[in-house]
């Protein structure tokens, strides 16, 4: 209304693809840093879940050594799942999501940047914390490299797949439990190969095959999951 | 406006009309009903009474005549659900959404049937009800996917949104189908390789696989019947405000 007439024909400067990507990522990272407790919750949960197993099953080192790869992986998987619900929730509540969908920018990139920022705030810290849990559960030192590498390749896939579930349920009030129902079946292949990689590292078998499969799943996820997330967001916001 | 030549056949557009679909399925139903009854009765008698017993497993192998058709059908049903969902997403066809919705409960039941008969068969042959091998696990994942689709559909209030959301989920879950299919080839497992392939002759003798084929076709016919019944109900429910449904209900 009160815009000067001379501005009418001027198209505002469009940020490039990379600029858009970094802007979205920076915004999400900054928002995450402003809410530190949300940042710590998945990590604390990860630590607590892992400490339940020695208490609930057996504190024997020889026994814990055997179940350690699976327990750390299941813990990381559940911690990621727990943090998924908040990915689009606040944006949906305050209307930012609607504005993002209306903007002329490719949703694919926006979504990818959001998921990457989310991974940097959950998957990456979980990966860095995993060796500590490995020590707590008497995982042999040979297994540590396998643990960190498999989590490094596997947790981004978990974030990407989880984001599909988060996008599908963002419009629902009771989204939390439903996400787990939708996403857990899709997490199973990642879990199998992730825990398999750690097991292989412990027994001294070559890791290459497992890591290649995890990498292939990640590549597939990066290429296809943002399409599904974008479609799911459009459905959730319009419905 | 110049009329655009469509590359899609005419019947494809007719499928978009709930009324046309309702009447078409009503005409098909008796034929499929009779076919199902005949094939399942004949197949059951043939497989349980006349087919020869296995030289290793004896009579316990006869559960294959339920297990294999159920396992094949559970996967086909998922494929149909995903394809119908994709058609619903792309062409915004109401009937495709209804087909996708109706597939989920049928598929879940069939998947449970396949898992249960597999467990019953596993006890005498492998000595365990359940083994964590690739095919069994991926079949269980298929059941979980069906349950996820059902849960998502029931959590959403609007039929249209629910259909679109479940279609996306079904398409994402499609990655599991090749994993189930090839799990027996990729991993060394207890589960035997596929019984039927399109290109090769089955390893079983003819008098054993022929009744199995009859059972598989019978299961497909049964699936068609139950799907059509469900879709017809769904059409009536969603189109309850349309005048032709009103007229139909007034007649009853």
């Amino acid at each position: 209304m009160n815009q000067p007439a001379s501005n009418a024909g001027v198209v505002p400067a469009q940020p490039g693809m990379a600029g858009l990507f970094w802007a979205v990522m920076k915004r999400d990272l900054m928002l995450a840093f402003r809410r530190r407790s949300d940042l710590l919750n998945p990590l604390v949960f990860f630590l607590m879940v892992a400490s339940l197993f020695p208490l609930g099953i057996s504190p024997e080192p020889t026994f814990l050594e055997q179940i350690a790869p699976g327990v750390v992986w299941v813990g990381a998987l559940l911690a990621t799942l727990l943090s998924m619900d908040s990915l689009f929730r606040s944006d949906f509540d305050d209307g930012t999501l609607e504005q993002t969908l209306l903007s002329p920018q490719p949703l694919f990139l926006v979504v990818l940047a959001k998921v990457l920022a989310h991974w940097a705030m959950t998957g990456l810290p979980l990966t860095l914390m995993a060796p500590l849990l490995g020590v707590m559960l008497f995982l042999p030192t040979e297994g540590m490299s396998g643990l960190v590498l498999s989590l490094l390749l596997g947790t981004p896939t978990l974030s990407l797949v989880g984001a599909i579930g988060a996008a599908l349920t963002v419009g629902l009030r009771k989204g939390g439990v439903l996400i787990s129902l939708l996403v857990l079946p899709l997490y199973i292949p990642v879990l199998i190969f992730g825990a398999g990689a750690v097991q292989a590292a412990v027994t001294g078998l070559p890791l290459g095959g497992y890591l290649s499969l995890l990498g292939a799943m990640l590549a597939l996820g990066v290429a296809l999951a943002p399409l599904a997330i974008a479609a799911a967001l459009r459905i959730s916001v319009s419905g | 406006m110049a009329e655009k030549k469509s590359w899609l056949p005419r019947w494809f557009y007719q499928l978009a009309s709930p009324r046309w679909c309702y009447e078409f399925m009503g005409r098909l139903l008796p034929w499929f009903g009779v076919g199902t009854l005949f094939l399942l009765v004949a197949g059951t008698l043939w497989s349980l009474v006349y087919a020869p017993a296995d030289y290793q497993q004896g009579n316990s192998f006869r559960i294959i005549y339920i297990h294999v058709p159920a396992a094949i059908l559970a996967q086909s049903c998922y494929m149909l659900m995903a394809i119908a969902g994709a058609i619903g997403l792309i062409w915004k066809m109401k009937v495709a959404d209804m087909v996708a919705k109706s597939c989920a409960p049928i598929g879940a039941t069939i998947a449970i049937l396949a898992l249960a008969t597999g467990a019953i068969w596993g006890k005498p042959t492998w000595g365990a009800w359940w083994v964590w091998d690739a095919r069994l696990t991926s079949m269980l994942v298929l059941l979980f996917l069906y349950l996820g689709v059902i849960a998502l559909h029931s959590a959403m209030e609007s039929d249209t949104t629910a259909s679109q959301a479940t279609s996306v989920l079904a398409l994402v879950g499609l990655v599991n189908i090749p994993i189930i299919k090839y799990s027996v080839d990729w991993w060394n497992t207890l589960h035997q390789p596929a019984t039927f392939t399109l290109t090769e002759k089955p390893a079983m003798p003819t008098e054993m696989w022929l009744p199995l084929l009859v059972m598989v076709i019978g299961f497909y016919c049964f699936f068609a019947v139950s799907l059509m019944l469900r879709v017809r109900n769904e059409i009536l429910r969603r189109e309850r405000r349309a005048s032709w449904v009103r007229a139909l209900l007034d007649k009853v």
Side-chain angles (χ1 to χ4, degrees), chain A residues 7 67 72 96 108 116 130 144-145 155 165 238:
Chain A
N7 257 0
I67 62 163
V72 177
T96 318
F108 187 97
L116 192 62
M144 289 299 176
S145 59
T155 46
S238 69

Side-chain angles (χ1 to χ4, degrees), chain B residues 68-91:
Chain B
V68 169
I72 295 176
L73 186 57
Q75 295 172 59
S76 307
C77 181
Y78 193 89
M79 294 287 287
L80 178 65
M81 181 170 78
I83 293 168
I87 293 176
L89 274 182
I90 297 165
W91 284 284

Side-chain angles (χ1 to χ4, degrees), chain A residues 124-173:
Chain A
L124 192 60
L126 288 175
T127 307
L128 297 177
M129 214 172 99
L132 173 69
L133 273 79
V135 173
M136 278 168 65
L137 295 172
F138 304 100
L139 185 73
T141 336
E142 304 87 64
M144 289 299 176
S145 59
L147 182 66
V148 173
L149 284 174
S150 65
L151 279 171
L152 204 60
L153 280 172
T155 46
T157 319
L158 296 183
S159 287
L160 282 163
V161 173
I164 302 175
L168 282 171
T169 54
V170 70
L172 303 172
R173 253 165 272 121

Side-chain angles (χ1 to χ4, degrees), chain A residues 8-216:
Chain A
V10 180
V11 181
Q14 293 275 328
M17 295 290 168
L20 168 75
F21 192 82
W22 290 120
V24 174
M25 225 179 125
K26 210 175 117 190
R27 171 181 173 275
D28 272 36
L29 287 177
M30 197 186 285
L31 278 175
F33 272 115
R34 298 265 162 87
R35 272 172 295 176
R36 294 228 177 87
S37 64
D38 283 7
L39 212 78
L40 279 177
N41 284 346
L43 294 178
V44 176
F45 176 81
F46 188 36
L47 194 66
M48 282 180 173
V49 164
S51 62
L52 289 181
F53 285 86
L55 302 176
I57 303 176
S58 157
E60 277 300 313
T62 46
F63 176 73
L64 284 177
E65 195 184 299
Q66 279 177 0
I67 62 163
V71 168
V72 177
W73 252 96
V74 170
L77 190 147
L78 291 178
T80 313
L81 194 63
L82 199 70
S83 67
M84 251 22 261
D85 191 40
S86 63
L87 178 55
F88 300 111
R89 180 70 61 197
S90 64
D91 278 0
F92 180 77
D93 287 342
D94 64 13
T96 318
L97 195 60
E98 229 161 278
Q99 295 302 319
T100 316
L101 295 186
L102 287 173
S103 77
Q105 319 293 355
L107 197 52
F108 187 97
L109 276 183
V110 176
V111 161
L112 196 60
K114 282 188 87 71
V115 174
L116 192 62
H118 179 266
W119 173 77
M121 290 291 111
T122 53
L124 192 60
L126 288 175
T127 307
L128 297 177
M129 214 172 99
L132 173 69
L133 273 79
V135 173
M136 278 168 65
L137 295 172
F138 304 100
L139 185 73
T141 336
E142 304 87 64
M144 289 299 176
S145 59
L147 182 66
V148 173
L149 284 174
S150 65
L151 279 171
L152 204 60
L153 280 172
T155 46
T157 319
L158 296 183
S159 287
L160 282 163
V161 173
I164 302 175
L168 282 171
T169 54
V170 70
L172 303 172
R173 253 165 272 121
K174 44 174 184 178
V177 188
L178 198 57
I179 286 194
S180 340
L181 273 180
L182 306 185
V183 165
L184 274 180
L186 301 169
Y187 275 3
I188 290 174
V190 186
L191 174 70
I192 291 173
F193 292 115
V198 188
Q199 207 83 60
V202 171
T203 45
L205 292 168
L207 272 179
Y210 288 103
L211 295 183
S212 307
L213 277 168
L214 284 171

Side-chain angles (χ1 to χ4, degrees), chain B residues 5-16 20 91 93:
Chain B
K5 185 95 176 113
S6 172
W7 53 276
L8 287 166
R10 193 176 148 211
W11 57 264
F12 189 77
Y13 293 98
Q14 283 177 325
L15 281 180
W20 187 85
W91 284 284
M93 250 185 216

